[in-house]
Amino acid sequence: MAINIKNERVIELAQQASRLTGNTQTGVIEQALRELISREQRASPTTRMNLVWQTLEIVDARLGQAERDAMQRAMDEMYDEEGLPA
């Protein structure tokens, strides 16, 4: 089965990796996918949860007060005082 990549950045990265490694574009994509799958399979639930928390900390650091207030208003509209859907 064929795959048709329409993302120009992905195409550029595949071409660059192909030039650097001497491997075909298909080969470098296959290698990258194998490495990604291997890394994900090795990652423990604790490691994954730590990555989630790190990501949330980054997002939190970038939020301004107006964004925080908007998120709180949205949460107040979605849930009642007991945390149940409104």
Side-chain angles (χ1 to χ4, degrees), residues 70-86:
M71 286 175 51
Q72 186 61 54
R73 283 191 301 276
M75 295 295 284
D76 290 344
E77 292 173 7
M78 292 191 305
Y79 301 100
D80 66 16
E81 305 80 37
E82 297 175 12
L84 299 173

Side-chain angles (χ1 to χ4, degrees), residues 7-74:
N7 182 310
E8 290 298 321
R9 182 64 183 140
V10 172
I11 293 169
E12 290 171 11
L13 290 169
Q15 290 170 342
Q16 181 180 5
S18 177
R19 283 190 303 272
L20 290 170
T21 64
N23 201 350
T24 65
Q25 291 179 42
T26 300
V28 296
I29 290 171
E30 178 183 5
Q31 180 182 352
L33 290 171
R34 285 183 186 278
E35 289 174 10
L36 173 66
I37 290 166
S38 176
R39 185 175 67 237
E40 289 298 319
Q41 289 174 334
R42 284 191 316 267
S44 70
T46 301
T47 301
R48 290 181 188 166
M49 187 53 67
N50 287 339
L51 290 172
V52 168
W53 284 112
Q54 289 172 4
T55 302
L56 289 173
E57 288 174 5
I58 292 167
V59 170
D60 184 60
R62 293 180 181 177
L63 288 176
Q65 191 58 47
E67 293 160 319
R68 291 175 196 281
D69 292 343
M71 286 175 51
Q72 186 61 54
R73 283 191 301 276

